[in-house]
Amino acid sequence: MTDIVLGVGASHSTLMNTHWEETFHKDRAERFRDALREARDEIAAARPDTVILVGSNHFRGFWLDLIPSFTIGVGECVASGESGTPEGPQPVDVSLARHIANTLVEGGRFDLAYSAKLQIDHGQSHAIQYLLDGLDVEIVPLVVNVFAHPLPTLERCERLGRAIREAVLAFPEGRRVAVIGSGGLSHRLPWPDWRDPHGDDEEFMVGAWLNGRDHWKDYDVKRREIIRAAESAINEDFDEEFLSLVENGRTHEVTRYTTEELEKVAGNGAQEVRTWLLMAALLGHAPGRRLSYESLPEWLTGMGVAVLDPTHHHTSERQP
């Protein structure tokens, strides 16, 4: 029997690793870091065999030469190791990953892109570093396109989460499965719409995304300079609203936003809440428990952590 035993939504920021000493709001940063540790302990207590790790990709493993909406890793998985995050091969539950891909494709539900040699970046390896620290688990990596327009709609992401849930629960080999959604909350990155860049910096970024597959180190120093020069744009009201939906088992209601509306309200980085939405759908939209929310302008982001435990709450399945 396969069970989905826990869900975690958590923001990520490589500035935790590279700019801790320059972080002004140390009290907020420490509370967020403590919440990550608490979530890690709850994952450990749930004793998962496998963690479905839903995250974004910041033009490290995916480039504008090919951008799938959703990609599942079904073989090797290699972390890029930027900014002090884990580097190198990660253990993948190949059997479960291929079962999910086969079930969704052959059942006519979703034509998932798949990779037998997937490169992930801090959009997932940050969670490996902090939430899976010291845990003997395999992962099923799922990458969601949240930065290269056109993006999959929020509704489409929610439907995918429910479809994967059905596939996982039907897995005959038996697993205890946890789910992590890594990303968000509100923030704005100095990243252009690749279709219409304006100015030298935006032209540079699009060039990096187009040509960086084999030469990303050539672009990385200036790329980081552009990001570090950005001004914070955190919308605490949106973050509180979103976390309230998570807490009340109503995360699916975020699908009322179009992609354009979400960016206008909470910034282009808030498109990463798709990872939380997928996670919540995989948990049947069980009500969650907030462990932390901190507005950290030094990290450009509203940083949140929440846990969804279906054993402590009645799971309310949302019908299509």
Side-chain angles (χ1 to χ4, degrees), residues 63-302:
W63 310 88
L64 287 177
D65 57 5
L66 182 63
I67 299 284
S69 292
F70 308 106
T71 305
I72 189 170
V74 298
E76 298 177 41
C77 178
V78 180
S80 59
E82 82 279 11
S83 304
T85 54
E87 181 176 10
Q90 305 299 316
V92 174
D93 187 340
V94 172
S95 181
L96 178 58
R98 294 183 181 179
H99 165 81
I100 292 170
N102 291 342
T103 300
L104 267 60
V105 172
E106 293 175 4
R109 300 289 298 278
F110 276 84
D111 296 317
L112 278 181
Y114 63 88
S115 173
K117 191 171 185 178
L118 179 67
Q119 181 178 331
I120 60 173
D121 69 7
H122 73 269
Q124 287 163 306
S125 59
H126 191 276
I128 293 171
Q129 180 177 13
Y130 290 99
L131 295 174
L132 301 183
D133 182 32
L135 302 187
D136 182 18
V137 295
E138 295 182 319
I139 64 170
V140 173
L142 178 66
V143 181
V144 184
N145 171 34
V146 301
F147 291 124
H149 293 270
L151 309 184
T153 65
L154 290 154
E155 177 66 27
R156 187 71 169 161
C157 293
E158 201 276 336
R159 287 174 55 198
L160 175 60
R162 287 189 282 118
I164 294 176
R165 173 180 171 83
E166 293 177 13
V168 169
L169 294 177
F171 184 56
E173 295 181 23
R175 292 286 192 279
R176 292 179 61 83
V177 177
V179 188
I180 294 174
S182 177
L185 301 172
S186 69
H187 63 294
R188 183 172 299 281
L189 296 171
W191 287 6
D193 183 330
W194 68 270
R195 300 166 296 187
D196 187 28
H198 297 278
D200 292 343
D201 284 352
E202 292 195 358
E203 294 280 1
F204 172 85
M205 294 296 270
V206 173
W209 300 341
L210 278 169
N211 304 308
R213 182 177 295 277
D214 298 315
H215 306 284
W216 67 266
K217 291 183 179 179
D218 296 342
Y219 297 94
D220 210 44
V221 172
K222 183 174 180 180
R223 183 176 180 271
R224 291 291 291 179
E225 289 175 355
I226 292 171
I227 293 172
R228 289 297 296 147
E231 294 185 3
S232 172
I234 298 171
N235 184 335
E236 295 182 19
D237 290 339
F238 170 84
D239 292 343
E240 289 290 342
E241 174 195 17
F242 180 75
L243 288 171
S244 177
L245 293 178
V246 174
E247 290 173 308
N248 288 286
R250 295 161 47 204
T251 314
H252 56 83
E253 291 184 19
V254 77
T255 60
R256 68 177 180 267
Y257 286 100
T258 66
T259 295
E260 292 73 20
E261 289 168 346
L262 181 59
E263 180 163 342
K264 183 177 181 180
V265 168
N268 57 358
Q271 305 292 359
E272 287 182 323
V273 300
R274 286 166 170 77
T275 66
W276 289 58
L277 178 60
L278 263 157
M279 176 275 296
L282 264 153
L283 268 290
H285 292 292
R289 180 166 51 90
R290 183 194 313 202
L291 302 185
S292 175
Y293 173 72
E294 304 295 339
S295 176
L296 277 161
E298 306 96 307
W299 297 353
L300 304 179
T301 306

